[in-house]
Amino acid sequence: MAGAYQSPVSLLHGVGEERAKAFAGLGINSIGDLLEYFPSRYEDYRVRDLTEVKDGERVTLAGTVYGEPSVRFFGKRKSRLSVKVVMDRVVVTAVWFNQTFVKSRLSPGKEILVTGKWDKHKLQITVSEMTEVDSERATKRGELAPVYPLGGDVTHTLLRKTIQQALRQYGKEIPEILPADIVERYRLMPRKDAFHSIHFPENAEDGRQARRRIMFEELFLFQLKMQTLRKINRQQTEGVALAIPMEEVREFVKGLPFPLTDAQKRVVKEILDDMRAPHAMNRLLQGDVGSGKTVVAAIALIAAVKAGYQGALMVPTEILAEQHVQSLTKLLSDYGIQVALLSGSLTAKRRREVIGSLQMGLIDVVVGTHALIQEDVFFSRLGLVITDEQHRFGVEQRRILRNKGLSPDVLFMTATPIPRTLAITAFGDMDVSTIDQMPAGRKPIETTWKKHDQFPAVLEQMRDELRKGRQAYVICPLIEESEKLDVQNAIDVHAQLTHIFPEFGVGLMHGRLPAKEKDAVMQAFLAAEHAVLVSTTVVEVGVNVPNATYMVIYDAERFGLAQLHQLRGRVGRGSEQSYCVLIADPKSEIGKERMRVMCETTDGFELSQRDLELRGPGDFFGTKQSGLPEFKVADLLSDYKALEVARQETVKLVAEDSFWRDEKYHWLRDYLKNEGVLDGVVLD
């Protein structure tokens, strides 16, 4: 079948050069592409009983023409054709609009099937399709007809007919590629039966079982690829088993000014176990804003340094780098660990000093921006690489930093809580650690939703906070006024608030400012020279201003829940009660629901799950950079249990020696080869 799968679709009878071009427009080039062009839904042509049909429903009814049809004309080109039809001993009126040509086919006594919208009160069906029972075209009686995404000159009739022919010709050759024990254990339909049934189901249950089989296969193959990549990564990047002096690490943890949460203890164990193992760590650490990821990173760094290695922490902005240097110095300096900053703003002299000290091993931990991956930066003995807000860096940037050591352990950190469904999909080749618990005593941020006309009252509440010596953020979605979007923009709001709060400094920050100006504005806010900071979402990542207790987010309906939560996390970082006000006038029910959800919970993981449900996987990460696979049948939300099962099964499978040798798995190995996963790989 592999050969037939790759054969051009033009081999099928009736598919000439022109039709092959039309199919190519749908991405159908081979017979395999055709067989795997699955329907998105089905039209239900099963004949219904009148007693069970609801008003306004689309139905197919069977009956006998009773009497002569009549036509009425109105307007220039409009017509109404009607005829009485006896259905279930009830006389029903069948109506066609602007289809007078049907009249000749409606002779009394003729049996017909009509599909259309049912009007229960008038006992009338407005017909969209008709089939004569005694004709060859009466194939729709009792059928679920597949509906496909179409384009160009390809019609449903042509597509169905061509798929039917391909199944007749090649259907028996469709191989079973899933292991027999998995097919049996999960009671999956055999593959060739599933391909027939998903295109032409005999009944609804037949179609459901076919979809279930193909959905599981998609998720299984994807997870097989992820787990194989993970195995290859571990096998080929042997790494170093760090001899961590655990007593010194425990001493450091005991000396912290606060106890670790149970979640922090769990992820610390997972990370240290990885660092002591002979393979290179490849782990994602995710935790909500304020959950204590920095302390976990500090424990990992002290473990690496005490084992005789250097650590590097790469962050997306200079301000964040400086804040990390301050916090890590405070935590690590008493233990004889040298922490240094490497960023673009350093003087040439200081930069040379840092690079030289790194190379000589005089610096234990370096924190920096992308300056860390420049060509002239070398390490003496790099053992641990931590990337904060890892989605902000490209794969290539992360790879360059990793290559500056001999297979160092790598820890990716993110404060964007990712639902487990997406974490095991988008990051399936990584191990995932989650801090799903907040430190005790943290005050939840009070979140409220206000309409635009309530803004004056919001300003008064903000003024009360500012008078207490606190600071505030005002977030806007746009920089300048736009003709296309009627939303508040940062420049206008800055001018407005400068006028309203003349006694308080008001700063302005947005993405178009040069990096130095951005840093200057942020430093002024950190130093409390500005009481209010008007900003676009550039303030989202990691900035820590404990004195900021008030946030206003303009046109909040234009942000996703995950992003709103990230923005909200800029306040509530000190001991005082903090507030977040969402200014929004959402028009849709989904928009209103998102505002309500934001006010109900401050749990980032719960919000991320709701965001996923409301917006879908593509929009959650941003469609272009999501890294999520596009499945033909599977759905990450509704099929998340099957995704988990597929992951568990493939983890076991790739760990078995027999998988890489046994003939019964050759289809799966061929799939991995075709996907390029095994290029240049020699597996033990």
Side-chain angles (χ1 to χ4, degrees):
M1 183 61 190
Y5 242 57
Q6 303 306 321
S7 300
V9 75
S10 55
L11 282 187
L12 293 167
H13 178 70
V15 182
E17 192 177 327
E18 286 303 311
R19 280 187 175 171
K21 280 183 186 175
F23 279 127
L26 296 178
I28 299 172
N29 297 295
S30 66
I31 289 165
D33 293 336
L34 180 69
L35 292 178
E36 293 185 17
Y37 198 77
F38 300 124
S40 54
R41 60 186 177 87
Y42 301 92
E43 288 283 12
D44 191 349
Y45 288 102
R46 291 171 295 177
V47 176
R48 303 276 296 280
D49 190 297
L50 272 181
T51 56
E52 63 183 38
V53 179
K54 294 177 183 175
D55 186 47
E57 200 175 352
R58 177 186 164 84
V59 292
T60 296
L61 301 171
T64 306
V65 176
Y66 176 75
E68 295 290 340
S70 64
V71 180
R72 280 177 50 208
F73 293 93
F74 48 96
K76 287 185 178 180
R77 297 180 181 177
K78 295 181 180 179
S79 64
R80 182 182 189 273
L81 167 64
S82 62
V83 69
K84 300 294 183 185
V85 183
V86 178
M87 298 176 176
D88 298 335
R89 292 182 291 181
V90 176
V91 178
V92 169
T93 304
V95 176
W96 289 258
F97 287 101
N98 307 320
Q99 297 181 62
T100 53
F101 60 87
V102 178
K103 183 180 177 183
S104 61
R105 295 163 56 194
L106 295 173
S107 54
K110 180 162 281 189
E111 288 186 59
I112 59 172
L113 293 176
V114 287
T115 300
K117 187 177 179 182
W118 174 244
D119 187 327
K120 186 177 180 179
H121 307 294
K122 294 181 182 177
L123 290 179
Q124 174 180 299
I125 183 168
T126 303
V127 182
S128 56
E129 295 181 58
M130 184 188 86
T131 306
E132 299 162 47
V133 172
D134 58 354
S135 77
E136 289 183 11
R137 292 176 63 240
T139 57
K140 291 178 182 173
R141 175 186 278 276
E143 280 192 5
L144 289 166
V147 177
Y148 301 89
L150 295 179
D153 297 328
V154 180
T155 63
H156 271 113
T157 303
L158 173 62
L159 193 55
R160 288 168 185 161
K161 184 179 174 184
T162 311
I163 290 172
Q164 212 161 29
Q165 185 185 338
L167 285 168
R168 270 198 305 269
Q169 200 166 337
Y170 299 106
K172 289 180 181 176
E173 299 175 42
I174 295 171
E176 180 55 76
I177 66 173
L178 290 183
D181 60 323
I182 286 177
V183 173
E184 187 179 340
R185 190 179 312 135
Y186 298 109
R187 298 178 183 176
L188 299 173
M189 184 181 275
R191 194 170 191 250
K192 61 184 177 184
D193 294 348
F195 271 53
H196 280 84
S197 294
I198 199 163
H199 289 294
F200 303 106
E202 290 185 11
N203 51 54
E205 180 60 17
D206 191 43
R208 194 181 74 80
Q209 289 300 333
R211 183 202 172 277
R212 179 173 172 267
R213 156 64 207 232
I214 292 167
M215 169 272 293
F216 185 83
E217 181 180 303
E218 282 191 300
L219 297 175
F220 184 91
L221 291 176
F222 175 74
Q223 283 298 324
L224 181 70
K225 189 161 63 173
M226 289 291 99
Q227 298 312 320
T228 302
L229 285 169
R230 187 164 171 263
K231 179 183 175 70
I232 291 167
N233 181 57
R234 287 196 164 194
Q235 184 171 307
Q236 295 194 338
T237 52
E238 290 182 354
V240 179
L242 270 61
I244 299 170
M246 292 304 296
E247 195 51 51
E248 291 187 54
V249 174
R250 281 191 279 270
E251 199 62 36
F252 171 73
V253 172
K254 279 181 191 172
L256 291 171
F258 43 79
L260 295 183
T261 62
D262 290 342
Q264 285 173 315
K265 290 174 186 174
R266 184 184 69 246
V267 302
V268 164
K269 182 181 185 305
E270 291 168 353
I271 291 165
L272 296 185
D273 284 350
D274 265 4
M275 292 171 69
R276 290 186 291 180
H279 58 76
M281 175 168 68
N282 187 36
R283 185 170 288 276
L284 173 72
L285 172 63
Q286 59 166 347
D288 213 339
V289 174
S291 61
K293 293 184 300 301
T294 303
V295 172
V296 171
I299 295 169
L301 287 166
I302 200 169
V305 173
K306 292 300 180 183
Y309 290 83
Q310 291 169 299
L313 171 58
M314 186 163 73
V315 297
T317 66
E318 292 207 4
I319 291 172
L320 197 52
E322 288 167 8
Q323 290 190 334
H324 273 305
V325 167
Q326 288 170 10
S327 57
L328 288 174
T329 300
K330 194 173 176 184
L331 286 167
L332 303 176
S333 60
D334 288 347
Y335 297 86
I337 292 175
Q338 296 297 314
V339 181
L341 171 70
L342 185 60
S343 67
S345 63
L346 294 184
T347 63
K349 183 186 176 187
R350 177 59 185 154
R351 186 174 185 278
R352 283 194 302 273
E353 287 173 0
V354 172
I355 291 173
S357 297
L358 265 180
Q359 203 165 349
M360 289 186 288
L362 300 176
I363 291 174
D364 301 307
V365 173
V366 64
V367 182
T369 56
H370 60 277
L372 287 177
I373 59 175
Q374 291 176 358
E375 285 185 14
D376 60 344
V377 178
F378 296 97
F379 291 79
S380 167
R381 208 177 183 208
L382 181 61
L384 174 65
V385 172
I386 302 177
T387 311
D388 196 14
E389 290 304 327
Q390 64 88 27
H391 62 284
R392 300 273 168 149
F393 296 102
V395 174
E396 185 61 16
Q397 289 174 306
R398 300 198 300 260
R399 186 191 65 78
I400 292 169
L401 181 56
R402 184 176 200 156
N403 286 347
K404 287 185 179 289
L406 291 172
S407 297
D409 290 318
V410 178
L411 180 67
F412 305 100
M413 298 200 303
T414 179
T416 304
I418 303 161
R420 181 165 176 76
T421 308
L422 293 190
I424 66 173
T425 307
F427 307 111
D429 58 336
M430 295 185 195
D431 296 300
V432 179
S433 289
T434 302
I435 304 179
D436 51 7
Q437 182 183 10
M438 298 298 279
R442 242 179 107 85
K443 292 179 180 175
I445 300 162
E446 287 186 18
T447 305
T448 52
W449 166 27
K450 302 290 183 183
K451 303 291 181 68
H452 280 87
D453 59 9
Q454 296 172 291
F455 189 52
V458 172
L459 290 177
E460 282 309 305
Q461 189 183 16
M462 188 195 298
R463 191 188 296 276
D464 288 343
E465 283 296 297
L466 298 178
R467 281 175 177 158
K468 294 174 189 172
R470 316 266 190 262
Q471 290 169 273
Y473 294 98
V474 178
I475 308 296
C476 306
L478 292 182
I479 299 170
E480 296 167 342
E481 191 174 353
S482 165
E483 292 177 6
K484 293 180 182 177
L485 294 173
D486 180 22
V487 292
Q488 289 290 332
N489 62 81
I491 290 171
D492 281 357
V493 170
H494 176 255
Q496 181 186 6
L497 295 184
T498 301
H499 176 72
I500 292 170
F501 298 127
E503 71 272 38
F504 301 110
V506 181
L508 173 65
M509 189 164 77
H510 54 73
R512 286 192 202 160
L513 287 177
K516 285 187 177 178
E517 282 187 43
K518 262 193 246 177
D519 283 350
V521 172
M522 202 63 230
Q523 290 294 353
F525 190 61
L526 277 164
E529 292 169 23
H530 298 315
V532 180
L533 180 62
V534 178
S535 176
T536 56
T537 56
V538 292
V539 80
E540 178 185 339
V541 179
V543 178
N544 186 29
V545 185
N547 192 46
T549 59
Y550 202 87
M551 173 171 282
V552 176
I553 305 177
Y554 253 116
D555 299 298
E557 72 272 25
R558 298 194 178 273
F559 300 97
L561 288 178
Q563 192 175 24
L564 286 173
H565 182 62
Q566 282 288 295
L567 290 166
R568 176 170 62 184
R570 298 308 104 225
V571 295
R573 302 176 83 87
S575 57
E576 302 297 330
Q577 179 63 56
S578 290
Y579 308 88
C580 178
V581 183
L582 310 171
I583 307 290
D585 287 309
K587 303 293 185 286
S588 68
E589 277 308 310
I590 286 180
K592 292 172 185 173
E593 176 63 16
R594 285 167 57 227
M595 294 305 104
R596 284 192 286 268
V597 170
M598 276 299 295
C599 295
E600 286 167 8
T601 182
T602 54
D603 184 325
F605 288 96
E606 184 180 335
L607 279 169
S608 68
Q609 183 62 39
R610 295 293 291 275
D611 202 19
L612 179 60
E613 291 164 4
L614 290 169
R615 301 203 302 157
D619 287 336
F620 183 89
F621 280 123
T623 306
K624 289 181 182 175
Q625 68 271 33
S626 70
L628 295 174
E630 289 188 13
F631 297 117
K632 293 176 181 176
V633 173
D635 177 82
L636 285 176
L637 292 181
S638 57
D639 301 323
Y640 70 93
K641 288 183 181 175
L643 177 68
E644 184 70 50
V645 169
R647 188 184 71 86
Q648 291 167 359
E649 290 291 350
T650 53
V651 165
K652 286 188 288 186
L653 192 62
V654 300
E656 293 174 10
D657 291 340
S658 60
F659 175 72
W660 306 102
R661 296 191 309 269
D662 204 315
E663 176 60 22
K664 69 180 179 180
Y665 297 120
H666 81 92
W667 289 112
L668 295 177
R669 291 198 299 272
D670 286 349
Y671 165 76
L672 292 172
K673 286 173 188 171
N674 292 335
E675 290 290 303
V677 176
L678 301 182
D679 287 352
V681 173
V682 179
L683 288 162
D684 294 337

